[in-house]
Amino acid sequence: MPLGKAVRHHWLLEDDVVFLNHGSFGACPKPVLDVQSHWRHRLELDPVRFMTRELPAQLPVARQALSSFLNCDPDDLVLVQNATTGANAVLRSLAAQFKPGDELLTTSQAYTATHQTLDYVANLTGAVVVQAYVPFPIDDPQQVVDALVSKITPRTKFCAVDHVTSLTGVVFPVENIIPIFKERNIPIMIDGAHAPGHVHVDITALDADFYAGNCHKWLYAPKGSGILWVSKKYQDQIHATVISCEPGSDFQTKFSWTGSVDPSGWFSIAAGIDFMKSLGVEAIRKHANDLILGARQKITSALGTSYGAPPEMLANLCTILLPVEGPVSPKYSPILHDRLYDEYNIQVPAMAPDGKACIRFSANAYNEASEYDTLLAALQEILQNK
Ligand SMILES: Cc1ncc(COP(=O)(O)O)c(C=O)c1O
């Protein structure tokens, strides 16, 4: 099946916008939104019946569909609002065990919410946050492994690592990182906010202790479709970020009623998976990866800059350096983003890892090569005029 423009009508995305930021919030296709509307409609037909009967009946159905896609036991998986909520549940639960001087490890490229939650827990407990510096540009996935290993000490009591980073769009070698922490009995959480749908995720094979993620970015689910997987070993220690109204201490019950929520997004996850399968999971990934690799080659050679990461660390997101001297100001990202959007109708984030001027573009089923030419032309104009 042809992808690109031929399938763009499945999305509500505005025609005149070059949409190269699937990464930040995903983009939900119309057939999936229709399924969500169906559930919202059912809810309002009789909210009491829905919340007391249909919700408990449908939750396991949603978890089953997702666990088949991610290859895990549905009993170990709970639905939350987003990856941030999932990661908060883990860290704030484990805080009870951290002592002054314990070290909580992460990388310099972790997502802001992870840094802030680690800081919060460290302030609460006297633990300290340790950052393993991961460079950008990066040449080899082993650099991530080495950076983390160099920071492990007898005091390391937790590690949080991104599966795909927000800052640089790079895929970390989590399959090589996890065993290092498991061998040392250090709890390890993978932040998979960008992973399900984007890269192949086999939770059982990964065998981490915790996996927080999103279905609303790359799995085409509506917003508010987050997941948290917890290994059986830790389930009795983990509580929901918002304590459940439902009495009971088993893992599923603790996450079953964290206040009244609209569950229509969760109930549309299966439709997101089906939609992805209808276009071809591997076909989408290949289409997008081809676009990414082609675009970065064209843009970097035209601008005279370097790649940022080797191809094996790239899936459907890519960050490249721009030819701008020295560290940029904190205003660089919003200013460049706004210029590209307001003057050229291009939706793409500007990033600044280590103060280096970069741009991060994504590719998805609905994108095609000419859109990256538009991005290049806009960047050339902006850079010429500064
Ligand atoms: C690596 C990473 N972790 C966590 C998040 C947070 O996702 P959410 O806002 O859906 O919780 C993001 C969002 O972009 C992310 O890139």
Side-chain angles (χ1 to χ4, degrees):
M1 176 188 293
L3 297 175
K5 232 182 205 145
V7 297
R8 172 106 175 198
H9 65 277
H10 288 304
W11 280 265
L12 288 170
L13 294 168
E14 289 169 348
D15 285 340
D16 54 352
V17 173
V18 173
F19 196 77
L20 305 181
N21 187 5
H22 194 91
S24 283
F25 306 109
C28 190
K30 288 186 230 173
V32 181
L33 292 172
D34 290 344
V35 171
Q36 183 179 33
S37 297
H38 156 81
W39 286 113
R40 286 198 165 129
H41 183 84
R42 278 207 69 77
L43 195 166
E44 296 306 335
L45 291 178
D46 183 337
V48 176
R49 182 186 64 204
F50 189 90
M51 292 298 194
T52 57
R53 294 186 185 174
E54 296 185 47
L55 173 63
Q58 280 306 317
L59 273 178
V61 178
R63 286 192 288 107
Q64 180 64 55
L66 191 54
S67 54
S68 303
F69 190 77
L70 299 175
N71 190 33
C72 61
D73 182 341
D75 291 344
D76 301 341
L77 188 71
V78 286
L79 298 170
V80 292
Q81 291 295 303
N82 44 51
T84 306
T85 314
N88 262 264
V90 172
L91 269 159
R92 296 171 76 162
S93 298
L94 293 184
Q97 304 170 21
F98 297 142
K99 295 187 203 57
D102 284 352
E103 293 175 359
L104 315 178
L105 179 57
T106 192
T107 76
S108 52
Q109 294 198 14
Y111 186 64
T112 336
T114 306
H115 284 301
Q116 304 216 137
T117 312
L118 286 168
D119 286 346
Y120 173 83
V121 167
N123 284 337
L124 212 62
T125 60
V128 289
V129 179
V130 175
Q131 266 188 42
Y133 175 72
V134 176
F136 188 82
I138 185 164
D139 301 317
D140 190 320
Q142 187 61 30
Q143 286 174 271
V144 186
V145 180
D146 294 344
L148 282 161
V149 169
S150 74
K151 293 289 181 181
I152 297 176
T153 76
R155 293 179 303 281
T156 310
K157 291 294 156 31
F158 184 80
C159 179
V161 178
D162 292 359
H163 198 159
V164 182
T165 72
S166 168
L167 188 65
T168 58
V170 160
V171 183
F172 275 179
V174 289
E175 62 288 349
N176 299 333
I177 294 168
I178 293 165
I180 293 168
F181 287 85
K182 293 289 293 276
E183 273 161 24
R184 292 164 171 79
N185 217 10
I186 300 168
I188 175 150
M189 177 176 76
I190 303 301
D191 177 352
H194 276 287
H198 184 179
V199 291
H200 178 68
V201 179
D202 181 331
I203 290 186
T204 301
L206 283 177
D207 194 28
D209 294 307
F210 312 98
Y211 194 102
N214 281 323
C215 305
H216 53 237
K217 286 187 189 280
W218 298 87
L219 204 46
Y220 297 142
K223 310 293 174 272
S225 306
I227 59 161
L228 175 64
W229 175 89
V230 177
S231 66
K232 292 196 195 306
K233 177 179 171 189
Y234 286 99
Q235 287 177 6
D236 60 332
Q237 299 170 41
I238 302 302
H239 302 276
T241 310
V242 174
I243 299 301
S244 176
C245 171
E246 201 70 42
S249 59
D250 72 279
F251 180 56
Q252 288 298 329
T253 307
K254 285 188 287 187
F255 283 82
S256 65
W257 190 282
T258 56
S260 309
V261 293
D262 174 358
S264 60
W266 297 335
F267 297 168
S268 312
I269 292 173
I273 296 172
D274 288 345
F275 179 82
M276 196 169 189
K277 286 183 176 167
S278 75
L279 296 187
V281 174
E282 288 312 320
I284 295 171
R285 288 185 186 145
K286 178 168 181 341
H287 168 81
N289 190 249
D290 287 349
L291 287 177
I292 286 295
L293 296 180
R296 77 170 189 157
Q297 155 69 25
K298 212 167 179 177
I299 298 175
T300 53
S301 64
L303 298 181
T305 56
S306 71
Y307 274 179
E312 68 267 28
M313 296 185 86
L314 294 179
N316 301 166
L317 272 174
C318 176
T319 300
I320 54 165
L321 295 155
L322 297 182
V324 174
E325 283 292 309
V328 291
S329 90
K331 291 195 185 130
Y332 157 80
S333 299
I335 289 175
L336 182 58
H337 166 271
D338 289 357
R339 284 203 64 186
L340 286 162
Y341 186 64
D342 295 335
E343 297 171 31
Y344 300 92
N345 273 355
I346 303 171
Q347 189 62 273
V348 67
M351 299 300 195
D354 297 336
K356 294 173 183 142
C358 290
I359 194 112
R360 187 196 80 186
F361 48 83
S362 67
N364 209 279
Y366 50 78
N367 289 117
E368 53 185 38
S370 62
E371 294 178 294
Y372 303 88
D373 296 339
T374 309
L375 173 64
L376 170 59
L379 287 172
Q380 282 173 321
E381 249 182 58
I382 290 174
L383 289 163
Q384 256 160 32
N385 302 329
K386 291 271 160 54

